[in-house]
Amino acid sequence: MSLEIADPRSGRTATGSARARSRGNFEKYSWIFMRVSGLVLVFLVLGHLLIMNVLDGGVQRINFGFVAGRWSSPFWQTWDLLQLWLAMLHGANGMRTVINDYAEKPATAFRLRMLLYVVTVFIVALGTLVIFTFDPNIA
Amino acid sequence: MASAPAGTLYRGGEGMWSWVAHRITGVAVFFFLLVHVMDTALVRVSPSAYDVVIATYKTPIVNVMEVGLVGAVLYHALNGIRIVLVDFWEPGPRHQKAMFRGIIVIWLLLMIPGTYFMLIHTIESLFGSTS
């Protein structure tokens, strides 16, 4: 006959703790995501800014034809798609943190977060659609 | 004035102000990103619709704002690397002040030529190329 010893604090952590009531390790994964996506974005975004604003004629040479030339290459399509998704999720998660820090009323914080999520989904969907359906011969 | 309690990384001094600047640049870049995806989406409307809006990016005043945008992104990127080093590099927290001074130096070294090249394209397109 074995002796059953419950885990320390098991009676409370199972249902009562803040972590158990919330969403598991969501905040930990969001913290890790900010660092991983941030390091990838350092290369993607600084490369993007260097190409678009500094090299050759900088912003002065950008027009529809320039975009069409770039997006004829799967390399730049992939670059821009990854950049769009990572930048929007990194930025939205940062804004979520800012809202949670400064919005004092829970209802205000909730409304601002919902607005943020709607805008984020809209922009990510719009940008993704544009990259995948780009037509260089549009009239 | 009383000095900050020992052992705090985020109250007063480099630790706090680097964090404040990280927030401000992050929020500013996020709002620009929303606008930027929408202006690029005009390539699905027509070439002329896109070119008309992109023309505003080429005006001198907006061009100077782009230097500010690049400066904000560059600071956020460099300080982000510093944050990763503070979090994951064992001696990182002890060197956070030196790393902050380091990223300011790197920022200046990149922004001085960067500003020159970003503005010279606009100046040349306004007054003709000198080369």
Side-chain angles (χ1 to χ4, degrees):
Chain A
M1 188 178 180
S2 64
L3 180 65
E4 296 283 340
I5 299 175
D7 290 334
R9 289 186 287 165
S10 60
R12 281 178 289 166
T13 51
T15 53
S17 77
R19 174 170 295 190
R21 273 183 278 107
S22 68
R23 295 162 295 174
N25 282 329
F26 177 81
E27 291 298 340
K28 183 179 105 178
Y29 293 122
S30 120
W31 183 93
I32 292 168
F33 171 76
M34 290 310 262
R35 276 134 189 90
V36 173
S37 64
L39 288 177
V40 177
L41 284 165
V42 168
F43 293 97
L44 292 178
V45 175
L46 292 185
H48 178 79
L49 290 176
L50 184 69
I51 292 164
M52 295 301 175
N53 292 288
V54 178
L55 297 182
D56 295 325
V59 73
Q60 298 298 331
R61 77 197 191 294
I62 297 176
N63 55 30
F64 182 85
F66 182 82
V67 176
R70 279 170 60 82
W71 279 351
S72 65
S73 152
F75 177 82
W76 294 116
Q77 286 180 317
T78 309
W79 180 303
D80 286 347
L81 189 69
L82 190 64
Q83 182 173 246
L84 168 75
W85 277 74
L86 289 180
M88 278 305 296
L89 292 178
H90 185 102
N93 199 32
M95 290 298 290
R96 184 181 69 87
T97 309
V98 169
I99 289 168
N100 290 343
D101 277 357
Y102 299 121
E104 295 191 351
K105 288 184 193 162
T108 308
F110 178 79
R111 285 196 196 101
L112 286 172
R113 279 200 304 273
M114 288 307 118
L115 177 66
L116 173 69
Y117 299 156
V118 168
V119 169
T120 300
V121 169
F122 172 75
I123 293 292
V124 169
L126 176 69
T128 304
L129 192 75
V130 167
I131 292 172
F132 276 112
T133 68
F134 178 71
D135 174 12
N137 300 314
I138 191 172
Chain B
M1 190 180 139
S3 60
T8 61
L9 207 149
Y10 291 105
R11 194 197 298 180
E14 291 88 341
M16 186 185 88
W17 292 111
S18 67
W19 172 85
V20 170
H22 203 77
R23 288 225 142 160
I24 293 170
T25 53
V27 170
V29 170
F30 181 73
F31 281 113
F32 170 74
L33 180 58
L34 302 181
V35 175
H36 185 47
V37 173
M38 289 190 280
D39 68 54
T40 304
L42 289 172
V43 296
R44 286 298 292 132
V45 177
S46 75
S48 60
Y50 179 75
D51 288 349
V52 163
V53 171
I54 288 304
T56 60
Y57 281 101
K58 304 177 185 181
T59 60
I61 292 170
V62 180
N63 196 224
V64 170
M65 291 165 73
E66 283 153 29
V67 175
L69 173 75
V70 170
V73 171
L74 184 60
Y75 171 81
H76 201 84
L78 292 171
N79 193 54
I81 294 169
R82 173 179 160 275
I83 292 171
V84 170
L85 289 171
V86 166
D87 288 341
F88 292 106
W89 183 44
E90 180 99 42
R94 276 194 287 118
H95 298 301
Q96 63 97 2
K97 288 185 181 183
M99 288 195 291
F100 181 67
R101 289 190 289 271
I103 67 166
I104 296 304
V105 170
I106 296 169
W107 188 86
L108 284 170
L109 288 175
L110 292 173
M111 281 309 287
I112 291 166
T115 303
Y116 171 80
F117 284 113
M118 287 182 69
L119 296 181
I120 202 71
H121 300 313
T122 300
I123 292 165
E124 283 180 351
S125 74
L126 284 175
F127 303 109
S129 176
T130 53
S131 59

